[in-house]
Amino acid sequence: MSEPLKIALAGLGTVGAGVVKLLDANRDLIARRAGRPIEVVAVNARDRNRDRGIDVSRFAWVDDSAELAGRSDVDVVVELIGGSDGAALVLARKSIAAGKAFVTANKAMIAHHGLELADAAEAAATPFKYEAAVAGGIPVIKGLREGAAANLLTQTYGILNGTCNYILTRMEAEGSDFADVLADAQGLGYAEADPSFDIDGVDAAHKLSILASLAFGTRIDFDGIALTGIRHVLAADIEQARALGYRVRLVGLAEADARGLYQRVAPCLVPDAHPLAHVAGSMNAVVAEGNFVGRLFFEGRGAGEGPTASAVVADLIDIARGEVGPAFAMPVASLTKAPRADAGERRGRAYLRFCVADKPGVLAELTAAMRDGGVSIESMIQKGEAPDGGVVVAMTTHEGPARNVRAALDRLEGSPSLTAAPLWMPVLEV
Ligand SMILES: NC(=O)c1ccc[n+]([C@@H]2O[C@H](COP(=O)([O-])OP(=O)(O)OC[C@H]3O[C@@H](n4cnc5c(N)ncnc54)[C@H](OP(=O)(O)O)[C@@H]3O)[C@@H](O)[C@H]2O)c1
């Protein structure tokens, strides 16, 4: 068998320790598949003495992650530190400049600096891979970059954050409120102590920006994503949605057509008949529509030690085999800069929920605002108590441009009848 592929690992947390465990457990199988052994030679983390459940004494330890880029005994640098900038970015830039192959699970860094890094990797003719960065263990990067490479893709969307899906599906199963489920999820380790990146949709947006670039051959445009998280979803919304034949899911969706690139992350009403409605707990799923292949549906674990390590090591096996394809399925110079589509023009149905004071005339005020905004109401339900003691009024609309819904909601801005900001959830129409 040929020379081993020699790896340096920066970051030995959940994913880093998982990579060491996986390479140990499946060593022989991986060597046969890769055509050569894959060996960790050097590692780095912040605390050398932390118990990680793995023996790191067999590897060279470096105190500064950036040192890994300069080691002559290393072929591939694997960055598992995290963060869009800081030590992770310094290591990425140095490793690629030194001609090392580079692997990361860091979606935040790719969303913000991925094109720069891919460009540098092309110039250095070295692999740059990130399968673990989107939907953890699901081989969706490979699926889009390789499996679906022959297709014109016009749409990709999915459940891209396991924490949000866990919270929403528990709210659905138990009828519990968001804050209670979040606190419980934090206790169980399903949500971070600071959950804002997850629950405000930022993490899903990082992943969506990468998927959109891969799918459409466009430059990553993270700042072009319209973002709404799940903080304001009430148990009552989930109950209303269920009664109407929908589930509530945080969906990242990107579309590209002649009008430009449309990208949003928002809690949506997903019809029961759609496979995304049945993605439960911390699972992730990604859908892509290709003009020859039709609908592709990928589902699996989007996070956790084992699934994420599985994706990182798949990249290492590719590198061991000599695979040096462009990171975003085509050279960076071939990616187009798509204009942002006018979100107001996008047509669809919507779920709108209002928490209102329990007094006469409020319903008339809501329906007048809809009429004046040009929104046609499909169904209206007045049900349940709002958290502040008022009542919850929910409605679904007929298909129309998002601009009209915005106009209707603007008419209600500052109304004393509303006891909380309205919630607007698009209906997933695909
Ligand atoms: N966890 C998942 O399920 C998952 C899934 C997909 C993608 N990812 C991505 O994978 C990456 C790692 O995530 P994780 O969950 O493994 O994180 P983690 O458990 O917090 O581990 C981070 C590791 O980085 C080390 N570290 C932090 N700052 C450092 C610095 N300045 N220099 C050197 N090392 C530093 C830490 O050292 P100490 O251990 O000494 O503190 C720790 O070993 C992130 O980009 C994340 O977004 C994670």
Side-chain angles (χ1 to χ4, degrees), residues 165 168-169 172 233 237-239 241-242 246-250 267-270 425:
N165 210 53
L168 290 172
T169 52
E172 180 183 294
V233 177
D237 295 315
I238 293 177
E239 195 191 328
R242 291 291 295 125
Y246 298 95
R247 316 273 176 141
V248 177
R249 297 284 184 268
L250 184 77
C268 289
L269 261 61
V270 179
M425 293 196 279

Side-chain angles (χ1 to χ4, degrees), residues 203-284:
D203 176 76
H206 286 147
K207 297 166 186 167
L208 182 69
S209 69
I210 299 168
L211 284 178
S213 172
L214 265 179
F216 312 138
T218 49
R219 294 179 68 83
I220 291 177
D221 182 16
F222 174 75
D223 294 330
I225 300 178
L227 254 187
T228 315
I230 63 166
R231 272 181 205 272
H232 302 296
V233 177
L234 299 175
D237 295 315
I238 293 177
E239 195 191 328
Q240 315 276 20
R242 291 291 295 125
L244 295 166
Y246 298 95
R247 316 273 176 141
V248 177
R249 297 284 184 268
L250 184 77
V251 177
L253 176 139
E255 292 169 346
D257 60 22
R259 286 166 295 186
L261 178 62
Y262 174 78
Q263 302 179 95
R264 76 162 186 237
V265 172
C268 289
L269 261 61
V270 179
D272 269 338
H274 194 287
L276 280 192
H278 304 284
V279 176
S282 61
M283 300 296 273
N284 281 196

Side-chain angles (χ1 to χ4, degrees), residues 12-15 44 46-47 50 52 80 82 105-107 303-304 308:
L12 293 168
T14 305
V15 186
N44 154 264
R46 272 179 307 208
D47 177 358
R50 184 175 153 195
R52 304 170 188 282
L80 301 168
N106 189 337
K107 51 258 177 179
T308 314

Side-chain angles (χ1 to χ4, degrees), residues 358-417:
D358 193 3
K359 62 176 193 198
V362 173
L363 282 186
E365 185 183 346
L366 295 181
T367 51
M370 295 301 130
R371 182 199 61 220
D372 296 347
V375 175
S376 158
I377 298 171
E378 180 188 56
S379 67
M380 181 139 145
I381 316 152
Q382 180 175 354
K383 206 173 170 200
E385 229 178 79
D388 49 21
V391 290
V392 171
V393 176
M395 58 181 77
T396 55
T397 71
H398 285 294
E399 194 193 295
R403 165 174 304 115
N404 293 10
V405 177
R406 181 75 276 148
L409 295 182
D410 285 349
R411 281 174 162 74
L412 291 165
E413 179 92 44
S415 163
S417 306

Side-chain angles (χ1 to χ4, degrees), residues 7 9 12-34 36-40 52-55 58-59 78 80 103 131-132 136-138 301 303-318:
I7 311 297
L9 276 184
L12 293 168
T14 305
V15 186
V19 167
V20 173
K21 289 180 199 169
L22 196 164
L23 287 172
D24 282 346
N26 292 353
R27 174 169 306 278
D28 294 341
L29 179 69
I30 287 170
R32 282 194 288 136
R33 290 205 171 125
R36 53 201 286 208
I38 295 180
E39 274 177 19
V40 177
R52 304 170 188 282
I54 49 170
D55 171 20
R58 59 199 156 130
F59 313 128
V78 182
L80 301 168
V103 173
E131 182 64 69
I138 307 175
R301 301 219 164 272
E305 179 183 286
T308 314
S310 160
V312 170
V313 175
D315 281 345
L316 296 175
I317 293 172
D318 266 356

